[in-house]
């Protein structure tokens, strides 16, 4: 089978509100390079006000993921990117949220901020790749040097190299092949 | 990693059930949900769970009633109570009646993650059935709680564990990186009178000083910027059990003073708090460094050293107990074959010979990585010399390695890179160093793909 994967994006990055264009390019480049997921950046949209939780002053990640999942057009996987703080009903915050083996995810750059923009971008890329791994169907991994490891704190995230362990890498190759075959 | 734990989430709010089960599923657990106490008991009659996460406030049967019902039907069940913010009273009541922990919603992701680590550790203890001695009596092979081998050296270590475990003395475990000091610590815990308490581990080398401090001591609300909620530290979590401080050689003299005080007074305060909390735990530490050398260099305090080092256990490097290699290799092979679902059955005699001819600078961890890699690339049912080719060239070059350490290092790096087709990321993993370090070394020694 020969499929030209560069032609058809498998993942749409969807900016909500104003996002640094350079951040989006870094995310897309890393998703493509580390995960091998052809990615395109879509035009930005207004902040999803229906997902805003006034008492918590945060956005509901589950709601955003739900609405992205229901959209008919677009690539097989879609990932929202937002500069505001995200949470889910039971947790005080999340860096990102995704459907395991599903279509939609969202990540927030809010808590990833660092004085050095490069560090912020790198953190964002790690979260984006991690959530995209969930979209492909990967669960958390316990290898200390693997992007599918759940990072309890930013310090842990920073220590992670930009790569998967060999078991996850093997699994991704398999799942990606399947995703390419069922891209529509 | 095979994680067979089955969890039931009981909450009348659907969004909470969904969010929790999604999170736990990503962690690799199998999860079911129930919207009420009655539904939970009905489901339980069908299939028991290992862990129950129960909301305190539910219409009909409340969390405490359900707790009593679950305990009556399944005395060994683990239960965590979820309470509303600010109702510590109900949480305390639940703990008194046998809940192992509680969470105030909404909770921090790291709090949930820490609690699950504790549950896992407690489960490992429950599952490590019989005492060490029974396990290897009459057989030549030793296998207990992940400690695998057949060498005399390992037998000596396990005997020492049997001897020191029941005492309450602080134990220091020494040995090179990758020898499995964490497994020995767990073994000591399981054989001790604290076995039914928690086993709480922390790697002192993996985090910054401030992070380590708040991780150990916990903090009160508002103790520092970002401390929105009070949090228990590992010292508190280890109460009644064992605290395992890995890489103890990495902690600063200031932290040594703080810990020494805790060990002497058996009480401490959370960061930003002034309420002393009583604690009682068994201390096990480990290091790959030569602490006596650090003492001489005055990087380690003498009083602290003698406090943590009442008894010492040394685990020899793998190259000094090569008889353990085939047993370990087989153990990891079965494990990874099962995890990846590949139909790999064993190693050919020639492959075993190659493994035993290698000197394993990265110890058991390196052997584990090699086997993992080999299982992933394996095509047939048996692993032969062919699949281990990368290891052979890699070692031959080391063995014929001449005079200087520098030359040996260059050859070793070169061998590893060749074995990985000059993929720096993979080679770094095999060498158990980080990518940046390897790149730096490649630059220094001018190592390039030919
Ligand atoms: Zn995750
Ligand atoms: Zn992994």
């Amino acid at each position: 089978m020969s499929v030209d994967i560069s032609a058809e994006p498998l993942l749409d990055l969807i900016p909500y509100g104003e996002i640094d264009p350079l951040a989006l390019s870094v995310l897309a480049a890393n998703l493509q390079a580390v995960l091998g997921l052809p990615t395109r950046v879509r035009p930005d949209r207004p902040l999803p006000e229906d997902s805003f939780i006034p008492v918590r002053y945060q956005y509901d990640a589950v709601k955003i993921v739900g609405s992205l999942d229901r959209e008919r057009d677009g690539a097989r996987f879609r990932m929202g990117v937002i500069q505001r703080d995200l949470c889910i009903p039971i947790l005080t915050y999340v860096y990102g949220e995704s459907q395991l083996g599903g279509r939609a995810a969202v990540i927030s750059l809010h808590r990833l901020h660092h004085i050095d923009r490069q560090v912020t971008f790198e953190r964002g890329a790690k979260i984006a790749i991690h959530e995209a791994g969930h979209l492909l169907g990967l669960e958390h991994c316990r290898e200390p040097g693997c992007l599918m490891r759940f990072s309890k704190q930013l310090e842990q995230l920073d220590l992670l190299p930009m790569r998967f362990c060999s078991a996850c890498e093997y699994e991704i190759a398999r799942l990606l092949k399947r995703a390419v075959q069922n891209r529509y | 990693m095979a994680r067979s734990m089955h969890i039931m989430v009981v909450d009348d709010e659907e969004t909470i059930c969904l969010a929790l089960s999604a999170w736990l599923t990503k962690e690799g657990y199998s999860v079911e949900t129930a919207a009420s106490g009655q539904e939970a008991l009905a489901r339980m009659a069908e299939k028991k769970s290992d862990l129950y996460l129960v909301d305190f406030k539910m219409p009909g049967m409340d969390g405490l009633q359900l707790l009593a019902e679950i305990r009556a039907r399944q005395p060994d069940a683990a239960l965590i109570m979820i309470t509303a913010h600010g109702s510590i009273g109900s949480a305390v009541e639940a703990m008194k009646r046998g809940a192992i922990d509680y969470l105030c919603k909404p909770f921090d992701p790291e709090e949930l993650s820490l609690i699950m680590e504790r549950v896992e550790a407690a489960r490992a203890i429950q599952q490590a059935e019989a005492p060490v001695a029974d396990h290897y009596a009459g057989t030549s092979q030793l296998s207990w709680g992940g400690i695998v081998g057949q060498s005399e050296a390992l037998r000596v270590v396990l005997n020492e564990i049997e001897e020191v475990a029941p005492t309450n003395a602080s134990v220091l475990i020494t040995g090179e990186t990758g020898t499995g000091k964490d497994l020995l610590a767990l073994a000591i815990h399981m054989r001790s009178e604290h076995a039914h308490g928690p086993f709480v581990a922390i790697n002192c080398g993996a985090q910054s000083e401030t992070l380590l401090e708040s991780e150990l001591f916990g903090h009160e609300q508002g103790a520092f910027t970002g401390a929105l909620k009070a949090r228990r530290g590992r010292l508190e979590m280890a109460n009644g059990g064992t605290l395992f401080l890995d890489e103890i050689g990495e902690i600063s003299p200031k932290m040594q003073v703080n810990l020494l005080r805790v060990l002497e007074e058996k009480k401490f305060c959370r960061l930003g708090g002034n309420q002393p909390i009583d604690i009682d735990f068994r201390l096990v530490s480990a290091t790959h460094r030569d602490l006596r050398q650090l003492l001489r260099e005055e990087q380690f305090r003498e009083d602290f050293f003698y406090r943590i080092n009442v008894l010492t256990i040394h685990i020899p490097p793998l190259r000094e107990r090569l008889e353990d290699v085939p047993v370990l290799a087989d153990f990891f092979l079965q494990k990874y074959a099962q995890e990846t679902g590949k139909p790999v059955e064993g190693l050919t005699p020639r492959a075993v010979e190659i493994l035993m001819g290698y000197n394993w600078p990265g110890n058991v961890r390196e052997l584990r990585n090699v086997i993992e890699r080999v299982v992933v690339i394996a095509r047939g049912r048996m692993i032969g010399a062919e699949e281990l080719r990368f290891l052979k060239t890699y070692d031959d070059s080391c063995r014929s390695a001449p005079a200087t350490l520098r030359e040996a290092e260059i050859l070793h790096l070169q061998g590893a890179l060749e074995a990985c087709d000059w993929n720096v990321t993979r080679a770094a993993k095999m060498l158990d160093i980080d990518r940046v370090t390897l790149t730096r070394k490649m630059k220094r020694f001018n190592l390039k793909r030919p």
Side-chain angles (χ1 to χ4, degrees), chain A residues 141 143 146 148 165 168:
Chain A
C141 171
E143 280 300 315
C146 177
M148 284 319 290
C165 71
C168 288

Side-chain angles (χ1 to χ4, degrees), chain B residues 62 116 120 184 195 204 233 240 246-247 254 272 297 305 315 324 353 368 387 390 410 433:
Chain B
D62 72 13
M116 291 310 298
E120 288 272 343
L184 296 184
C204 303
D246 202 358
E247 299 302 354
K254 175 176 161 263
E297 290 166 5
F305 176 75
I315 171 98
D324 290 340
E353 209 174 291
R368 192 191 67 192
E387 281 96 340
F390 69 95
I410 294 175
I433 58 180

